[in-house]
Amino acid sequence: NAGVTQTPKFRVLKTGQSMTLLCAQDMNHEYMYWYRQDPGMGLRLIHYSVGEGTTAKGEVPDGYNVSRLKKQNFLLGLESAAPSQTSVYFCASRRLAGGQETQYFGPGTRLLVL
Amino acid sequence: GENVEQHPSTLSVQEGDSAVIKCTYSDSASNYFPWYKQELGKGPQLIIDIRSNVGEKKDQRIAVTLNKTAKHFSLHITETQPEDSAVYFCATADSWGKLQFGAGTQVVVTP
């Protein structure tokens, strides 16, 4: 049981380039989330999904797109990277059981846009 | 969107002393209040949480209190140890699990 994994761990992009961040979970969770973390700040929600084939906008969705074609994977895309998207990106999945909930976070992807 | 304020931003304590972090929120729809610990280079890890129908919850050296009327909740760490040094985040969530985080508290426990 690997939990939540993220690929890649680190990436450098030039302004205008595109890339896709991959999040995978092997816990059969329905809910998945993408957050970004900037220095000195808490995480902010970009997009989320409540199940396979569904996506919804979070607090800071502009400049990002997502897809959830398979239950275990949640992809975050940057079509045209901007320096303002330099950040650490965290994926999470949510466990709901017996009235309890837990969000499990991945190790993060560090993205630098030059 | 909802605003979650967290204080203090940094907290230095002597080993064995207690640490208290406080958060306030504005959205009355929030019904879940987790606390996360984040170590350098890692993702946040849930350490304790509380739901809106409970006033206090304790897990060994960690406790959380919630005052829903006043819209504030607090994290208490007793008998602090060097391994408690990390950044701690409070958060609130709605029924969709969308987390709104505070800005974080850097806790430093000195031996």
Side-chain angles (χ1 to χ4, degrees):
Chain A
N1 188 331
V4 179
T5 58
Q6 292 183 234
T7 309
K9 289 183 171 54
F10 178 69
R11 184 75 182 270
V12 179
L13 288 179
K14 295 181 179 179
T15 296
Q17 287 185 319
S18 63
M19 78 165 293
T20 300
L21 285 68
L22 171 63
C23 175
Q25 53 97 2
D26 60 1
M27 298 173 281
N28 202 36
H29 293 163
E30 294 289 343
Y31 293 74
M32 296 185 73
Y33 309 84
W34 274 107
Y35 295 89
R36 61 176 287 174
Q37 184 175 31
D38 299 305
M41 298 177 67
L43 285 71
R44 291 181 294 168
L45 181 65
I46 305 171
H47 285 280
Y48 67 104
S49 169
V50 301
E52 182 178 314
T54 74
T55 62
K57 294 180 179 180
E59 182 185 355
V60 288
D62 294 342
Y64 305 95
N65 57 76
V66 287
S67 64
R68 184 96 181 271
L69 298 179
K70 293 183 179 180
K71 187 178 185 178
Q72 63 268 34
N73 296 335
F74 195 25
L75 305 179
L76 179 69
L78 286 74
E79 290 188 348
S80 180
S84 60
Q85 294 178 305
T86 293
S87 190
V88 181
Y89 292 85
F90 289 100
C91 175
S93 70
R94 182 191 192 198
R95 173 180 178 270
L96 288 168
Q100 302 295 317
E101 71 173 278
T102 305
Q103 283 201 27
Y104 297 90
F105 283 83
T109 293
R110 294 181 180 277
L111 176 64
L112 175 61
V113 182
L114 301 175
Chain B
E2 178 176 351
N3 188 30
V4 179
E5 295 190 359
Q6 181 172 347
H7 299 281
S9 56
T10 60
L11 182 59
S12 182
V13 295
Q14 290 281 338
E15 182 178 358
D17 288 349
S18 296
V20 180
I21 303 170
K22 298 182 178 182
C23 288
T24 60
Y25 65 98
S26 57
D27 188 353
S28 300
S30 298
N31 58 14
Y32 176 62
F33 305 88
W35 285 88
Y36 290 87
K37 177 182 181 181
Q38 186 176 29
E39 297 176 332
L40 197 61
K42 296 185 178 180
Q45 183 177 14
L46 179 71
I47 56 171
I48 195 167
D49 57 14
I50 192 167
R51 292 207 165 270
S52 59
N53 57 341
V54 177
E56 185 174 354
K57 183 177 178 180
K58 188 175 181 180
D59 182 5
Q60 300 183 356
R61 296 186 297 107
I62 296 174
V64 57
T65 59
L66 170 65
N67 183 329
K68 206 160 190 291
T69 302
K71 295 194 178 73
H72 64 73
F73 55 114
S74 302
L75 177 71
H76 303 252
I77 307 174
T78 59
E79 301 173 22
T80 53
Q81 302 168 2
E83 52 265 38
D84 293 330
S85 295
V87 179
Y88 291 81
F89 291 97
C90 64
T92 64
D94 61 12
S95 57
W96 297 105
K98 294 182 293 177
L99 292 169
Q100 187 101 13
F101 284 82
T105 297
Q106 176 74 61
V107 174
V108 177
V109 181
T110 54

